[in-house]
Amino acid sequence: MSWMPTAPTDNLYKFSALWGLRMLLGLLLFFAWLISIQMQIEKEMDSAQHYYRSAMILPDIEQRLDALKQGKVNEHRLAWALPHWTPQDERVILEIAAKRHRQSMAASKSIMDQKAGEALAYLRRLDVLLIGFIYIVLATGLFVFGFMRWKRKLHDVEGKLRDAELTMRELGIEKLRIEIAQLRRSGRRS
């Protein structure tokens, strides 16, 4: 008795085919993960735009607020501030804008720290691409080879055996009919 178990040769092709199919399903899950990473990167890009836009505008707003607090109404005017605003109205609006920009920067900062792009950068390496290619070839090869061999060596043979057995039964029934017909003829003669 051998200590090494032997593979079931009658189901080896089926095993190969099903394992290849399982690997292909894993590949589909991998692509779903890539799509989610891509969506996360787009979210990070939007957050980065919001962050840097707020980071560029906030110092100008703060300079204008300081000028308004010091009573210097004509210094550091913002191009987008409406000319009919009074200094008091402008100050209230700019304080609200500054608060919202700080909140936007804080919210965007946490999303930008996730660094989903690093996962895609890892996938661009040549060795990772080579392993991915080998995985795809192996999964497809196992799937195609296993099902083709399983069909040819097992399924087709079983189909031929079933057809042969059906033919044998039909021939046996036909032989019995002939024998019954002969017995009936000989029974009438006697």
Side-chain angles (χ1 to χ4, degrees):
M1 185 167 167
S2 174
W3 61 273
M4 182 75 133
T6 59
T9 55
D10 60 333
N11 288 328
L12 188 59
Y13 302 122
K14 187 189 291 186
F15 173 77
S16 171
L18 293 176
W19 191 258
L21 183 62
R22 185 180 200 181
M23 289 176 73
L24 289 174
L25 289 175
L27 190 62
L28 286 176
L29 290 175
F30 175 72
F31 285 131
W33 175 76
L34 282 179
I35 290 170
S36 73
I37 289 290
Q38 184 64 33
M39 290 171 53
Q40 189 175 357
I41 287 174
E42 289 174 7
K43 187 177 178 183
E44 284 181 17
M45 287 173 50
D46 288 343
S47 293
Q49 288 176 349
H50 290 294
Y51 180 83
Y52 290 117
R53 181 171 173 255
S54 293
M56 289 176 60
I57 292 175
L58 190 59
D60 294 338
I61 292 173
E62 289 173 344
Q63 281 181 347
R64 179 63 180 160
L65 281 172
D66 288 341
L68 288 173
K69 286 178 185 175
Q70 294 172 4
K72 300 175 183 175
V73 181
N74 292 327
E75 288 186 17
H76 302 291
R77 292 193 62 81
L78 298 172
W80 53 269
L82 298 178
H84 68 275
W85 285 349
T86 65
Q88 187 62 19
D89 290 341
E90 186 177 0
R91 184 176 177 186
V92 170
I93 291 170
L94 290 178
E95 285 174 351
I96 292 171
K99 180 182 175 185
R100 288 189 179 163
H101 280 293
R102 286 186 196 100
Q103 289 172 347
S104 176
M105 287 175 65
S108 299
K109 185 74 173 154
S110 65
I111 293 173
M112 288 174 42
D113 289 341
Q114 293 178 1
K115 303 197 185 310
E118 292 177 5
L120 287 183
Y122 180 73
L123 293 174
R124 290 187 185 117
R125 290 180 35 192
L126 183 60
D127 56 341
V128 174
L129 290 174
L130 183 63
I131 290 171
F133 178 74
I134 291 170
Y135 181 88
I136 291 170
V137 168
L138 182 66
T140 306
L142 281 173
F143 178 72
V144 170
F145 172 77
F147 271 118
M148 295 296 288
R149 296 293 258 181
W150 175 49
K151 184 183 178 310
R152 190 177 320 138
K153 293 218 176 212
L154 296 172
H155 187 70
D156 290 347
V157 170
E158 288 175 3
K160 288 177 184 177
L161 287 174
R162 280 192 305 269
D163 291 344
E165 185 178 333
L166 182 62
T167 304
M168 291 295 290
R169 286 183 181 175
E170 289 173 352
L171 290 174
I173 291 171
E174 187 63 33
K175 180 181 174 190
L176 288 174
R177 285 185 188 151
I178 293 171
E179 289 176 359
I180 290 172
Q182 286 176 353
L183 287 173
R184 286 184 184 163
R185 273 189 252 144
S186 65
R188 285 185 199 162
R189 291 183 192 163
S190 14

